[in-house]
Amino acid sequence: FQGESIDSYAATQGTEGKWTGCAPYSTHLLFFKESHIHKLYGSYPSQFQIVSQEANGVEYGSERSIAIIEDLVFYKSRIGLLTYGGDRPRLISAAFDNHSYRNAVCGANRRKYYCSMDNEVGEREFLVYDAATNMWHREDDLNATCFCFYDEQLLAADSDGNVWIIDGG
């Protein structure tokens, strides 16, 4: 490295699996695989340091489930929906009992985590987690394809091309 702005940086990881997501967290970046969380520290190449942790990461197919509320990263893993606060991921979907979901697309606004997911029979469900009360609520069958936070409102686009205001003012 010459120490110039055009320098590049590359790193390899020996963990198995495809990369399934990336999120900013605190002073570093998180890179996910289904069974690992890789933390990239540093602000320029000569300072970069990667710390890997074997843990439930983002499930393949649920790459768009990552959202941040305050100091927690929320995402869908193979075992359910989790929060990550710097230590070990914590399961927040134990209330679903034996219901399994996949292909999660999620967004967050204020203290709520909104998830549009396929249930075990392939039907789309729209569920909301309130982080303040630790409670889940089933809303409807909105098939959100993406979420976007704009002008203090969470917006969702559905599979028909409609845009919805979610938990707006």
Side-chain angles (χ1 to χ4, degrees), residues 17 43 55 163:
S43 56
V163 176

Side-chain angles (χ1 to χ4, degrees), residues 99-105 115-127 138 140-144 159:
H99 296 285
S100 62
Y101 293 95
R102 56 184 166 63
N103 301 322
V105 176
C115 300
S116 179
M117 305 178 284
D118 293 334
N119 63 21
E120 55 271 343
V121 294
E123 296 170 340
R124 205 70 174 165
E125 290 187 28
F126 190 61
L127 301 153
R138 186 179 190 290
D140 53 32
D141 59 355
L142 176 68
N143 185 5
S159 57

Side-chain angles (χ1 to χ4, degrees), residues 43-155:
S43 56
Y44 52 90
S46 65
Q47 288 185 333
F48 286 163
Q49 177 186 6
I50 299 172
V51 177
S52 298
Q53 174 182 2
E54 189 170 342
N56 287 301
V58 176
E59 174 183 53
Y60 183 75
S62 294
E63 296 85 3
R64 291 178 283 164
S65 68
I66 302 170
I68 298 171
I69 299 175
E70 294 180 8
D71 61 345
L72 293 174
V73 179
F74 289 72
Y75 60 92
K76 170 71 174 75
S77 75
R78 288 183 289 190
I79 66 164
L81 291 140
L82 304 176
T83 61
Y84 177 78
D87 188 24
R88 300 292 303 169
R90 183 179 66 88
L91 183 68
I92 60 170
S93 60
F96 297 166
D97 293 324
N98 292 327
H99 296 285
S100 62
Y101 293 95
R102 56 184 166 63
N103 301 322
V105 176
C106 307
N109 189 9
R110 296 176 187 90
R111 65 179 195 185
K112 294 183 180 177
Y113 181 55
Y114 299 87
C115 300
S116 179
M117 305 178 284
D118 293 334
N119 63 21
E120 55 271 343
V121 294
E123 296 170 340
R124 205 70 174 165
E125 290 187 28
F126 190 61
L127 301 153
V128 181
Y129 178 73
D130 188 323
T133 62
N134 296 321
M135 295 182 68
W136 282 98
H137 302 279
R138 186 179 190 290
E139 295 290 319
D140 53 32
D141 59 355
L142 176 68
N143 185 5
T145 57
C146 67
F147 286 89
C148 175
F149 194 74
Y150 176 74
D151 196 26
E152 299 298 317
Q153 295 180 325
L154 182 66
L155 306 177

